[in-house]
Amino acid sequence: ANYDKFRPSYTPTVVEQVLTQCRVSGRQHAKILDLAAGGGKFTELLARQPEGFEIVAVEPHDGMRGVLERKELPGVTVKAGRADGIPLEDESVDAVVVAQAFHWFATKAALQEIHRVLRPHGVLALLWNIEDYNSPRTYAASTPWESRMRELTWTFQDDEARFRHQEWKKVFEDQSRSSPWSLLVAGEQYFALPLGEWEERFEVWMWRRQVWERYATISSVVVLGEEEREKTYKTVMDALNGPEVEVNEKGEVALHGKTFVVWTSKIPEDGRESLLDVETPES
């Protein structure tokens, strides 16, 4: 419930970008799988679209799924399931969307399952809202206090891959880990490369307490014990009360970040087989 309350939604520009790249914008009653739908932050936006999409929201976590089910969104069927065990028939959806979650299951098994349920040339779209304080270190933070909070975020080590680690990209890169010719022989490419990428910056003014509540929904923080959580709260509030923090007339601070959209299209089975028919060069 806290995740649903404090995590940000997505702008109309982001939604339209996703639908356009998935080739379902303006397409009446297209069937979309919202995989790892959580409490339905993105599902809600899909359900509001004028195309009247048929949406299947798959989520493994009982608590998250309960939040989504209670919304009773029109055109949405909610199912329990995992990325490596999607409860849908072969080639049954026009597009697969994963919001804020692909880093949790960036595996070959998940790619195979997504490939299985997508119709030929269907599109997989991934999107993330990433605050500066939760971003890769290679990204420039907008303010010194957000940079300090990012350093705090990077101190949490629990051997789980997050977006900021950028490990999720490897599952696509591994499709062509070796030479292009050995890739053709292996027939292991399920999705087209290179990935399409698009981003949009955001800024939102929030009370300091709201910034903490938003920060506290990061999974690394959620699992902290009471003592560590209190230390984390103090560090965050110290950063937010620094002398260089810009404050508006209401006493709010500006929180910055980016929304990332990534997409790729399914290579159909017959397409993969045609690759295998290509004669490889002699060694």
Side-chain angles (χ1 to χ4, degrees), residues 143-146 148-149 208 234-247 253:
T143 63
W145 71 264
E146 286 167 303
R148 288 202 299 275
M149 280 182 62
R208 289 176 173 87
K234 184 179 185 305
T235 302
V236 169
M237 297 310 291
D238 285 347
L240 285 166
N241 286 299
E244 84 287 357
V245 176
E246 182 184 1
V247 181
V253 300

Side-chain angles (χ1 to χ4, degrees), residues 168-179:
W168 60 269
K169 291 184 176 181
K170 289 185 177 180
V171 72
F172 297 103
E173 296 167 357
D174 284 348
Q175 295 182 112
S176 52
R177 173 64 60 187
S178 50
S179 73

Side-chain angles (χ1 to χ4, degrees), residues 99-146:
Q100 212 75 21
F102 186 74
H103 52 277
W104 291 113
F105 48 83
T107 65
K108 180 180 176 181
L111 271 197
Q112 289 173 322
E113 267 293 88
I114 295 168
H115 184 275
R116 179 185 67 79
V117 302
L118 268 172
R119 290 176 178 141
H121 305 292
V123 174
L124 165 64
L126 318 173
L127 64 156
W128 289 270
N129 278 323
I130 300 296
E131 299 87 350
D132 283 1
Y133 61 60
N134 196 23
S135 65
R137 282 184 167 131
T138 53
Y139 295 2
S142 301
T143 63
W145 71 264
E146 286 167 303

Side-chain angles (χ1 to χ4, degrees), residues 67-245:
V67 171
L68 174 53
E69 288 172 331
R70 286 190 290 274
K71 293 179 179 179
E72 298 182 344
L73 299 173
V76 176
T77 301
V78 182
K79 293 178 177 284
R82 294 166 47 94
D84 54 5
I86 300 172
L88 291 175
E89 297 178 356
D90 294 357
E91 299 188 348
S92 58
V93 299
D94 298 298
V96 176
V97 174
V98 184
Q100 212 75 21
F102 186 74
H103 52 277
W104 291 113
F105 48 83
T107 65
K108 180 180 176 181
L111 271 197
Q112 289 173 322
E113 267 293 88
I114 295 168
H115 184 275
R116 179 185 67 79
V117 302
L118 268 172
R119 290 176 178 141
H121 305 292
V123 174
L124 165 64
L126 318 173
L127 64 156
W128 289 270
N129 278 323
I130 300 296
E131 299 87 350
D132 283 1
Y133 61 60
N134 196 23
S135 65
R137 282 184 167 131
T138 53
Y139 295 2
S142 301
T143 63
W145 71 264
E146 286 167 303
S147 180
R148 288 202 299 275
M149 280 182 62
R150 180 170 62 189
E151 288 307 306
L152 171 64
T153 304
W154 274 88
T155 66
F156 301 123
Q157 300 294 335
D158 57 7
D159 298 322
E160 295 285 357
R162 267 81 178 186
F163 175 88
R164 63 179 179 269
H165 300 129
Q166 298 288 279
E167 295 293 317
W168 60 269
K169 291 184 176 181
K170 289 185 177 180
V171 72
F172 297 103
E173 296 167 357
D174 284 348
Q175 295 182 112
S176 52
R177 173 64 60 187
S178 50
S179 73
W181 288 112
S182 61
L183 163 64
L184 299 185
V185 173
E188 288 293 298
Q189 189 161 352
Y190 296 95
F191 288 91
L193 293 174
L195 300 173
E197 298 186 53
W198 178 90
E199 62 187 52
E200 175 185 78
R201 288 206 61 84
F202 64 78
E203 176 186 279
V204 57
W205 290 86
M206 307 178 73
W207 301 105
R208 289 176 173 87
R209 179 69 189 185
Q210 291 175 317
V211 174
W212 161 251
E213 289 168 336
R214 182 156 163 170
Y215 186 78
T217 64
I218 297 176
S219 54
S220 304
V221 179
V222 170
V223 299
L224 293 176
E226 185 175 349
E227 184 177 348
E228 284 301 311
R229 185 179 176 88
E230 185 60 32
K231 288 180 182 178
T232 299
Y233 171 76
K234 184 179 185 305
T235 302
V236 169
M237 297 310 291
D238 285 347
L240 285 166
N241 286 299
E244 84 287 357
V245 176

Side-chain angles (χ1 to χ4, degrees), residues 260-280:
F260 296 88
V261 179
V262 176
W263 64 91
T264 178
S265 58
K266 169 180 174 173
I267 298 176
E269 290 293 336
D270 57 354
R272 295 171 66 209
E273 289 168 3
S274 66
L275 290 178
L276 292 173
D277 290 336
V278 177
E279 183 178 346
T280 59

